[in-house]
Amino acid sequence: MLIRIPKGWEIPEREATPESAYYNRRQILAAAGLGLLGESLGAATGPYPAKHNDEFKVDIATTPEFAATGYNNYYEFHPTDKEAVKNNVGAFVTSPWAVEVSGLCNKPGKFEVEDLIKKFPLEERVYRFRCVERWAMVVPWTGFLLKDWIKAVDPKAEAKFVAFTTANKPKEMPGIKMAPWYPWPYTEGLRMDEAMNPLTMVVTGLYGKPLPRQNGAPIRIITPWKYGYKSIKSIVKLELVKSQPPTLWNKVQPEEYGFYSNINPKQPHPRWSQAVEQLIPTMERRPTLLYNGYEKYVAGLYNGKEH
Ligand code: MTE
């Protein structure tokens, strides 16, 4: 896979500024010990930036915002060009937006995103994120725990998996027409214990702001110990089911994309060794970590047979 690294002079000022403004504001608030003022500013500007959770520190620098929001895999908007995705999201309407929760639960329903972000406590976590194509990043996601949402719908004991579905709107998502051979809509799934894991986030924000459309607005999933394709974007449906649900990539190439897809440097993808990762935008190489460094949270879920 070839990756074009943007030169410094190619980064428009409008993209470079917000992140530095964000960090400056945080630093100033922290330095001045004005935590309370910070909270009240937050209330005036909506839920972003949300309270930062310090438990999830990463020992490498946060990826610049322009890279995380300018180099995207989102096939519904462009099936091959990651840098074109952000230019193709203009017609995509993300508000209002409701997610239907159905299947094996006692309290199914339709949840408006604007209600979800009021109902569940939002927090910011900096996580590593790793695509199966080997590129990686470290970004601050804002969201809530999927566990809390699942508990709120009162799952039945027979619910063993959660199936997710992305919006399927060809008029707003030009990539769907460009690549009609994919079995749209994009679908993904997690086993119930993975969905309930305290790492699994329902994400609505990035870099202290609402989630950009190219990153999955208004609502997506993040599972940082799994390859990025498990982190499904712009979800409209969440279904609690009994058996392992089909997923788009598993349907297309089952030998390349297993259901579990846990990050593992020793398990090569048929087309890519997974021993190293490359951080965007510099493409600095680093060794891949088992479960992307999140072993202490997830190792107990597996017996080594899940792929
Ligand atoms: N979700 C949908 N609906 N469509 C996609 O094409 N791509 C996946 C995942 N979620 C994808 C998706 C892949 S391959 C990756 S690596 C991540 O989104 C990329 O997320 P990012 O653009 O926020 O970095």
Side-chain angles (χ1 to χ4, degrees), residues 8 10 129 165-166 212-213 230 240-241 288 298:
E10 291 180 302
F129 182 91
T165 308
T166 294
R213 286 177 285 186
K230 297 294 293 182
L240 306 189
V241 294
T288 299
V298 298

Side-chain angles (χ1 to χ4, degrees), residues 68 71-76 129 131-132 135 137 141 166 186 214-215 220 228-233 249:
Y71 185 83
N72 303 99
N73 269 339
Y74 202 166
Y75 281 53
E76 289 89 331
F129 182 91
C131 180
V132 72
W135 60 268
M137 61 184 184
W141 303 109
T166 294
Y186 196 102
Q214 61 269 34
N215 294 94
R220 73 178 296 180
Y229 57 90
K230 297 294 293 182
S231 292
I232 183 173
K233 295 175 168 180
W249 289 114

Side-chain angles (χ1 to χ4, degrees), residues 3-290:
I3 286 151
R4 200 177 72 84
I5 300 168
K7 316 277 184 307
W9 62 85
E10 291 180 302
I11 303 161
E13 193 52 33
R14 66 174 186 282
E15 289 181 19
T17 310
E19 192 203 20
S20 54
Y22 165 70
Y23 282 110
N24 285 343
R25 191 186 141 239
R26 292 213 145 206
Q27 278 157 6
I28 291 161
L29 290 175
L34 294 177
L36 282 175
L37 177 59
E39 305 260 277
S40 59
L41 277 178
T45 56
Y48 309 99
K51 196 169 184 297
H52 184 80
N53 185 336
D54 268 339
E55 184 185 337
F56 300 94
K57 284 198 172 54
V58 179
D59 59 358
I60 42 181
T62 299
T63 302
E65 186 176 349
F66 79 86
T69 59
Y71 185 83
N72 303 99
N73 269 339
Y74 202 166
Y75 281 53
E76 289 89 331
F77 292 94
H78 203 296
T80 51
D81 185 346
K82 300 184 203 316
E83 288 164 301
V85 169
K86 62 179 175 304
N87 304 324
N88 283 358
V89 297
F92 188 37
V93 180
T94 58
S95 174
W97 188 282
V99 182
E100 185 194 334
V101 183
S102 62
L104 301 168
C105 60
N106 295 313
K107 295 180 185 165
K110 274 209 153 192
F111 293 78
E112 295 293 331
V113 170
E114 63 173 37
D115 296 335
L116 287 170
I117 63 178
K118 287 183 203 142
K119 182 176 167 82
F120 299 112
L122 293 190
E123 59 174 82
E124 179 182 77
R125 295 181 178 187
V126 174
Y127 276 164
R128 293 166 173 276
F129 182 91
R130 167 72 145 70
C131 180
V132 72
E133 297 162 333
R134 292 199 300 224
W135 60 268
M137 61 184 184
V138 175
V139 297
W141 303 109
T142 301
F144 57 91
L145 300 188
L146 179 56
K147 174 172 81 159
D148 291 343
W149 195 1
I150 293 177
K151 279 189 191 153
V153 299
D154 192 10
K156 296 186 176 164
E158 312 93 86
K160 299 289 183 230
F161 290 85
V162 184
F164 305 95
T165 308
T166 294
N168 187 5
K169 297 181 174 173
K171 286 200 182 112
E172 298 174 31
M173 300 170 131
I176 293 182
K177 284 186 186 148
M178 293 163 83
W181 52 86
Y182 286 119
W184 307 111
Y186 196 102
T187 46
E188 256 308 336
L190 293 171
R191 202 169 63 191
M192 190 57 111
D193 56 352
E194 299 178 317
M196 301 295 277
N197 187 274
L199 285 179
T200 305
M201 285 181 90
V202 180
V203 161
T204 59
L206 186 62
Y207 292 94
K209 292 173 286 197
L211 194 60
R213 286 177 285 186
Q214 61 269 34
N215 294 94
I219 185 162
R220 73 178 296 180
I221 300 298
I222 288 292
T223 47
W225 74 99
K226 292 178 177 287
Y227 292 111
Y229 57 90
K230 297 294 293 182
S231 292
I232 183 173
K233 295 175 168 180
S234 308
I235 52 172
V236 290
K237 196 169 159 196
L238 203 154
E239 200 180 352
L240 306 189
V241 294
K242 204 170 176 171
S243 347
Q244 184 179 304
T247 71
L248 182 140
W249 289 114
N250 190 249
K251 277 191 234 173
V252 174
Q253 278 158 310
E255 68 294 344
E256 298 200 358
Y257 304 107
F259 180 81
Y260 288 94
S261 308
N262 295 320
I263 296 169
N264 184 346
K266 296 212 172 102
Q267 195 185 319
H269 177 277
R271 287 182 283 141
W272 302 288
S273 151
Q274 297 294 10
V276 291
E277 63 181 20
Q278 293 186 278
L279 291 168
I280 59 167
T282 59
M283 293 301 158
E284 176 197 336
R285 291 161 75 88
R286 294 178 55 96
T288 299
L289 303 176
L290 181 62

